[in-house]
Amino acid sequence: MEDEIKITEVALRDGLQNEKKFIETESKFKFLKLLEEAGFNHIEITSFVRKDKIPALADAEEFSKKLNFNDDKSYSALTPNSIGLEKAIELGYKEIAIFGAASETFSKKNINATIQESIEKFKEVSIKAKQNSIKIRAYISTIIHCPYEGKIDSEKVIFLIEEFLNQGAYEISLGETIGLATSFEVEELLSKILKKFPAKLFAGHFHDTYSFALGNVSKSLEMGIRSFDSSAGGLGGCPYANGASGNLATEDLVFFLESSGYKTNIDLEKLILASKFIEEKLSRNLISKTYLAKK
Amino acid sequence: MEDEIKITEVALRDGLQNEKKFIETESKFKFLKLLEEAGFNHIEITSFVRKDKIPALADAEEFSKKLNFNDDKSYSALTPNSIGLEKAIELGYKEIAIFGAASETFSKKNINATIQESIEKFKEVSIKAKQNSIKIRAYISTIIHCPYEGKIDSEKVIFLIEEFLNQGAYEISLGETIGLATSFEVEELLSKILKKFPAKLFAGHFHDTYSFALGNVSKSLEMGIRSFDSSAGGLGGCPYANGASGNLATEDLVFFLESSGYKTNIDLEKLILASKFIEEKLSRNLISKTYLAKK
């Protein structure tokens, strides 16, 4: 349906990995259940990387073992390499995510590889994923601004999109990593991308560092995008990006979409209960405006 | 210039009147000076109403006496009636603001008059203001949603615009009082208004209760609006509107406008100093995202 929006809830992975406090596996699982009760079907669970690299997600395996992969939820895990992919497959994941950057410097700092090297690594992952009938979602970060390089050439984004589509990704999540892009810049980039590819291949992943995110969602909707990523309560951000105080809060996204006449199938009150639960565990105050106004 | 934006800084009036804590006159004056150092030329100072009605602004006269009305700043005061206007003229104001609502119920609850009664009262104020060469700015609140009546008929907004223009207002500030309107609704209303009147007559006054404000600013810019109201640090809101946690923060507005290539002539760092000062006086935490990311 034209007016139904897919929301990928990223608080458990993208959110928690940038929170200082480690959340116990049991609490992560409770948070997941609360999110599911609110109606989420697409949930990013964790990341399979070296445990010392992202301590917040060091329990990736233990947490994943608690999941029921046979129900109708779409759980995904970040698998930057073949070892991670194998672990994900072994645990039962049917969807994985790979993660590239349109900025050379950001790629090196974030995943310790040049863009070309990262593509080669992802190719290996993708081939193996397809052999195992695993769905592939691809993130492209720093699509407009990079904290190190400034404005990014849209050709670099388009190059990565082509590459990931060739590797078999069913959806590309366009990551505006540092929250600096305005709706005018989003319009400029999307108009170039959508000349070449259909809108249904893309999700918008906007950070809300300076409150620009919903304006970018609005512009993306106007241009035909019907899939967005967000994080319950606005959890997380990006540890490598200066001042990136957080992902777009799912509360703000859902309330904006519903107020705009789109269907999300998310129960906002139940979502707020999930955020309240994790807020207590994190012992810090969430600042999503919709959350604050309605909690 | 097409790309220059007028910002009317409303923290001292619209902001402080909705804060619980009374700010001493001396601190208000210091806050004003800090705002001026940041570059603001259009500053709403106070409101001339009965002292017991808005205790936060009970020092309207004392505060106004500290101002130098001969410099190049445009100071304005809310004058809902002739008594208020006379006081403002006596104190030296060269610009006043009147305040109507497009919702009948909101008008009754907010200013204790029907829309028609309020128009008659404003007419008296306007005639006297013009006789004294005082500029008139008119606010229309609840332009899209009313907390009591729900969605507002755009014809009611257009009726008030015509009325206020006939009374001699040089600018109409369109107030989206409860922050519920999406960019799609703003577009719908503005397209009707701008069929009848030129964009240069209007300012956008958006509340950021659910983070929708900058998307509305973005849409207004697209449609030709070049004047906006905002409140340093996001101070204030609307006491009669449920959940209206605050005005659009000037920090978010300025950073968005500058990032979008518009000129505001505001020094963001100095603005943040002003907000820091008032945050300490208010003893509560401000939640403007740009303020938090850059302070």
Side-chain angles (χ1 to χ4, degrees), chain B:
Chain B
M1 257 189 61
E2 163 74 6
D3 291 341
E4 258 191 49
I5 306 292
K6 173 185 171 186
I7 296 179
T8 300
E9 172 54 59
V10 302
L12 279 158
R13 198 279 307 173
D14 197 4
L16 290 184
Q17 87 168 50
N18 295 305
E19 296 290 340
K20 282 176 194 155
K21 199 170 164 185
F22 180 78
I23 300 296
E24 299 296 332
T25 312
E26 203 48 62
S27 297
K28 281 182 183 134
F29 188 68
K30 171 80 176 156
F31 183 37
L32 170 65
K33 289 294 133 191
L34 289 169
L35 291 171
E36 289 185 357
E37 277 167 31
F40 294 96
N41 290 317
H42 301 273
I43 303 178
E44 209 185 54
I45 297 290
T46 191
S47 185
F48 289 102
V49 289
R50 270 183 21 217
K51 289 188 184 197
D52 56 325
K53 282 188 87 178
I54 306 179
L57 307 182
D59 61 345
E61 193 170 339
E62 192 188 344
F63 181 26
S64 301
K65 281 183 179 159
K66 292 176 166 286
L67 307 183
N68 174 10
F69 286 98
N70 293 319
D71 70 8
D72 59 346
K73 309 291 178 201
S74 170
Y75 298 130
S76 71
L78 234 69
T79 58
N81 54 41
S82 286
I83 303 168
L85 176 72
E86 278 160 25
K87 185 54 79 185
I89 294 173
E90 188 190 312
L91 286 159
Y93 283 91
K94 291 166 190 154
E95 176 169 341
I96 54 110
I98 51 182
F99 192 98
S103 150
E104 200 61 73
T105 317
F106 194 85
S107 182
K108 277 182 207 148
K109 298 221 182 204
N110 199 21
I111 53 179
N112 198 25
T114 65
I115 292 175
Q116 198 53 48
E117 285 165 0
S118 76
I119 287 174
E120 295 310 318
K121 212 163 22 166
F122 293 142
K123 214 175 265 174
E124 227 183 285
V125 174
S126 298
I127 289 169
K128 205 171 280 182
K130 278 188 285 184
Q131 286 168 347
N132 287 276
S133 307
I134 304 286
K135 287 175 82 177
I136 303 163
R137 192 169 194 254
Y139 284 99
I140 302 176
S141 60
T142 57
I143 55 165
I144 296 175
H145 292 279
C146 166
Y148 314 108
E149 296 187 9
K151 192 90 185 239
I152 294 297
D153 182 355
S154 60
E155 286 308 312
K156 292 186 178 174
V157 180
I158 287 170
F159 167 77
L160 271 176
I161 291 170
E162 274 168 349
E163 187 57 43
F164 285 140
L165 290 176
N166 286 338
Q167 291 189 14
Y170 81 96
E171 184 171 79
I172 311 259
S173 173
L174 297 167
E176 205 287 279
T177 311
I178 54 174
L180 205 56
T182 66
S183 41
F184 305 103
E185 291 174 306
V186 168
E187 182 173 21
E188 201 187 347
L189 176 64
L190 281 183
S191 66
K192 286 177 187 163
I193 291 174
L194 298 179
K195 261 185 208 142
K196 298 199 169 205
F197 312 97
K200 65 177 182 195
L201 291 174
F202 300 98
H205 182 111
F206 299 110
H207 280 214
D208 202 28
T209 324
Y210 309 104
S211 272
F212 296 0
L214 284 185
N216 294 344
V217 168
S218 175
K219 183 53 72 182
S220 303
L221 287 167
E222 277 179 35
M223 300 183 79
I225 305 295
R226 294 290 179 271
S227 177
F228 297 95
D229 300 350
S230 61
S231 176
L235 258 61
C238 176
Y240 303 97
N242 180 31
S245 63
N247 285 288
L248 170 57
T250 310
E251 284 86 347
D252 291 336
L253 176 64
V254 166
F255 192 58
F256 178 75
L257 290 170
E258 296 281 342
S259 300
S260 299
Y262 292 94
K263 273 189 70 157
T264 64
N265 299 313
I266 302 300
D267 183 323
L268 186 55
E269 279 182 40
K270 288 185 179 167
L271 165 58
I272 286 169
L273 289 181
S275 292
K276 266 190 185 166
F277 170 79
I278 203 71
E279 183 176 40
E280 277 170 32
K281 298 289 170 195
L282 286 169
S283 332
R284 77 165 180 95
N285 292 329
L286 302 177
I287 61 164
S288 151
K289 292 216 164 179
T290 302
Y291 176 73
L292 291 174
K294 290 181 174 285
K295 77 171 179 175

Side-chain angles (χ1 to χ4, degrees), chain A residues 100-124:
Chain A
S103 148
E104 199 62 71
T105 317
F106 194 85
S107 182
K108 277 182 207 149
K109 297 221 183 205
N110 198 21
I111 54 179
N112 199 25
T114 65
I115 293 176
Q116 198 52 50
E117 284 165 359
S118 76
I119 287 173
E120 295 308 318
K121 214 166 14 167
F122 293 140
K123 213 176 264 174
E124 227 184 284

